[in-house]
Amino acid sequence: MNQTYLLEWLDLLVTVTLNPSKTDVNEITIVQSKAIIEKTIEQTLFIQSEFKIRVFSLNKEKQIKIVVGNYHSSLIIFLDNVIERSHNVAFERFDLKEVINTLISCFDELLSFIETRFSEYLSLDLRVPSTYLVVSKKKLKQKIDKLKNSATSTINDKKVTAILFDNLYSFVNSKGDEKVTFRQVLYRKQLIKELELLKVMQNEDQANATLDEILIYMNFNCRTFINYFTKCVTDKVNCCENIASKMENLLFYFKEFNQIHIKDGVILNPHQQELKIILSEWFRYEMAYLDKQQHFSVVPFVNRDRKLNKTAIIDSTNDKVLCKLSTDQTALIFRAADELKILIARSMNHVFKTIVPFLSTPNKANLSYDSMRSKAYVAEDRDKELAIDALQCIIKKIKSY
């Protein structure tokens, strides 16, 4: 069955009517410019409606992928042409500038429509064309600025809000030739849409969801957010007086966390583990740690530990051993050494509590053993690689003796 080309009018407009090499654009009147703008807006709505009908009329996934991919690629080409055309002196006239700006908005809206509704049929790991990336970042920044000044940044925890906006601004303000994929752009668009919905619900006093829950739902596997979330839970649990109460509260927070759904197919950093996996593993290790504390008597060691802590406080920074690895990398090595029984103590906590007060790093003189222990369960691939590199250097050195 023959199907009409939905972009025919826009295609002709961009490639012929507004092409200075084929048409004298100065002959376009103000009335005609206004008519073009109105027709462009009308076509934008028409294409979205007809495109849905066309896609849903297809039965085979391969056919859908071809149709979606072809229209998506064509729209990007048109957007590139229009942006390039905007720098032409022929379009310095006010009404023609309005035509160009309307077209840019039109193509951006159509691209967002396809990427949001039919993302599963797109090759999201392809690199985004530079012109499309510029337009996308500009639109995203406008929405981020608006959100930052809205209720979202005042109702929710200011620390997690700062983490969120630092990450978003870092993306839209980034420059250079780094590869940015459609997946990365689409993720930010979807995240901002969720934040806008949260803002509307908060204004209507209908929202029970917190910003934390939105970020977990959106698989926001940012390391800073992970550290913030685990620290918040740890601080709440440590407020309890005894181990039984700590375990009870930790189980409660774990249950609350598990009840938050994760949106399918979205992730902030596709090269890292999913947020749900990372935090679930952290919860399980923390529960295992508290469980061990319940089964081992710590009374005989209290005085000795207090003495150790006191000694650690009295000792000057100069008496500490400087470790060139970061706290995260050191934590991974200690955890592995404990689990392999290379370092033998009554618990992993005791390994960290005994060793860490006598260590420092180039960035920090006084290290928290509890913080380092927690980081042992939340490992980034880069920290794993650097820890392995350090151990391989040690192996090589030992072999040379």
Side-chain angles (χ1 to χ4, degrees):
M1 181 177 67
N2 292 326
Q3 292 182 329
T4 57
Y5 176 43
L6 297 178
L7 301 178
E8 184 176 1
W9 186 84
L10 289 172
D11 192 337
L12 183 65
L13 179 67
V14 173
T15 57
V16 179
T17 307
L18 297 178
N19 187 347
S21 63
K22 294 183 179 180
T23 304
D24 185 0
V25 295
N26 288 318
E27 291 185 358
I28 298 174
T29 66
I30 294 176
V31 174
Q32 288 173 327
S33 294
K34 186 178 179 181
I36 290 172
I37 291 171
E38 290 175 354
K39 180 72 173 177
T40 300
I41 295 170
E42 178 187 311
Q43 281 288 302
T44 303
L45 298 173
F46 168 77
I47 291 168
Q48 291 181 53
S49 175
E50 288 298 312
F51 190 78
K52 283 187 287 185
I53 295 171
R54 179 161 300 183
V55 170
F56 292 137
S57 69
L58 299 172
N59 297 320
K60 295 181 179 179
E61 185 174 333
K62 186 177 180 181
Q63 291 177 324
I64 297 174
K65 281 186 176 180
I66 291 171
V67 170
V68 172
N70 286 343
Y71 273 89
H72 189 260
S73 300
S74 297
L75 286 167
I76 289 175
I77 292 170
F78 293 153
L79 180 62
D80 285 348
N81 287 338
V82 172
I83 291 175
E84 184 181 348
R85 209 70 50 75
S86 67
H87 302 300
N88 191 304
V89 291
F91 292 93
E92 289 182 355
R93 219 173 71 193
F94 176 77
D95 59 306
L96 292 179
K97 271 187 180 180
E98 285 293 304
V99 170
I100 291 295
N101 290 335
T102 302
L103 278 169
I104 291 173
S105 296
C106 159
F107 292 132
D108 180 63
E109 184 177 338
L110 289 172
L111 283 165
S112 296
F113 165 75
I114 292 176
E115 290 164 0
T116 303
R117 298 290 187 90
F118 307 100
S119 59
E120 66 268 33
Y121 302 111
L122 292 171
S123 300
L124 295 178
D125 293 317
L126 292 177
R127 184 170 187 166
V128 177
S130 57
T131 49
Y132 174 53
L133 182 60
V134 169
V135 173
S136 297
K137 283 185 174 181
K138 184 179 178 181
K139 293 279 185 180
L140 286 171
K141 189 176 185 304
Q142 290 172 351
K143 291 186 176 183
I144 295 166
D145 289 341
K146 188 175 179 181
L147 275 170
K148 197 171 190 303
N149 297 322
S150 71
T152 304
S153 60
T154 56
I155 293 177
N156 292 282
D157 189 296
K158 291 192 181 296
K159 287 186 179 179
V160 72
T161 304
I163 292 170
L164 168 65
F165 283 106
D166 283 349
N167 187 279
L168 289 173
Y169 277 120
S170 175
F171 178 77
V172 296
N173 293 330
S174 62
K175 296 178 181 179
D177 298 325
E178 76 279 7
K179 178 182 177 181
V180 176
T181 65
F182 286 105
R183 189 182 303 279
Q184 291 172 296
V185 174
L186 180 59
Y187 178 88
R188 270 77 183 184
K189 288 182 178 181
Q190 291 176 327
L191 176 58
I192 288 171
K193 187 176 180 181
E194 290 294 332
L195 295 173
E196 288 171 341
L197 288 173
L198 177 63
K199 173 192 168 186
V200 171
M201 293 172 70
Q202 285 172 335
N203 289 341
E204 295 175 357
D205 295 326
Q206 294 176 352
N208 293 319
T210 65
L211 193 53
D212 282 359
E213 291 172 348
I214 295 295
L215 296 182
I216 293 169
Y217 170 70
M218 287 299 297
N219 207 354
F220 190 78
N221 59 342
C222 165
R223 183 59 184 269
T224 311
F225 174 67
I226 293 169
N227 289 339
Y228 163 81
F229 182 87
T230 54
K231 184 181 183 302
C232 285
V233 175
T234 302
D235 289 345
K236 291 174 184 176
V237 169
N238 286 341
C239 288
C240 301
E241 294 181 357
N242 54 63
I243 296 173
S245 298
K246 288 181 179 181
M247 179 65 87
E248 184 180 350
N249 275 274
L250 189 61
L251 286 167
F252 171 75
Y253 293 128
F254 190 33
K255 184 193 77 170
E256 279 197 328
F257 168 74
N258 277 328
Q259 289 174 340
I260 302 172
H261 297 293
I262 295 286
K263 187 171 184 178
D264 291 334
V266 301
I267 187 167
L268 172 69
N269 188 346
H271 302 297
Q272 301 288 347
Q273 279 188 314
E274 291 189 3
L275 181 64
K276 200 86 170 182
I277 295 173
I278 295 171
L279 292 179
S280 293
E281 184 181 9
W282 179 83
F283 271 111
R284 283 193 291 270
Y285 276 115
E286 288 297 304
M287 287 186 289
Y289 164 64
L290 289 176
D291 188 54
K292 283 184 179 180
Q293 278 193 319
Q294 286 180 316
H295 288 86
F296 290 96
S297 174
V298 296
V299 176
F301 299 92
V302 170
N303 290 333
R304 186 172 69 185
D305 287 343
R306 285 179 178 171
K307 184 177 180 181
L308 175 63
N309 290 339
K310 194 176 290 184
T311 305
I313 294 170
I314 293 171
D315 286 345
S316 66
T317 306
N318 293 333
D319 293 328
K320 294 186 178 185
V321 175
L322 177 65
C323 181
K324 288 292 184 74
L325 297 177
S326 70
T327 54
D328 302 63
Q329 296 149 23
T330 308
L332 287 172
I333 293 173
F334 284 169
R335 175 186 167 186
D338 174 79
E339 292 179 355
L340 293 171
K341 300 304 177 187
I342 295 171
L343 296 175
I344 301 173
R346 67 174 184 272
S347 67
M348 187 186 294
N349 185 61
H350 191 243
V351 171
F352 284 91
K353 196 171 185 178
T354 305
I355 299 174
V356 173
F358 295 99
L359 296 178
S360 65
T361 67
N363 297 323
K364 202 166 185 180
N366 298 309
L367 305 175
S368 164
Y369 78 88
D370 197 41
S371 175
M372 186 183 285
R373 179 185 59 78
S374 295
K375 289 180 179 180
Y377 303 123
V378 188
E380 275 191 353
D381 289 342
R382 181 60 179 160
D383 288 321
K384 290 180 186 177
E385 290 173 7
L386 292 173
I388 291 168
D389 288 343
L391 293 172
Q392 286 175 339
C393 288
I394 293 173
I395 293 168
K396 188 176 179 182
K397 190 67 178 177
I398 292 173
K399 285 181 177 179
S400 70
Y401 293 156

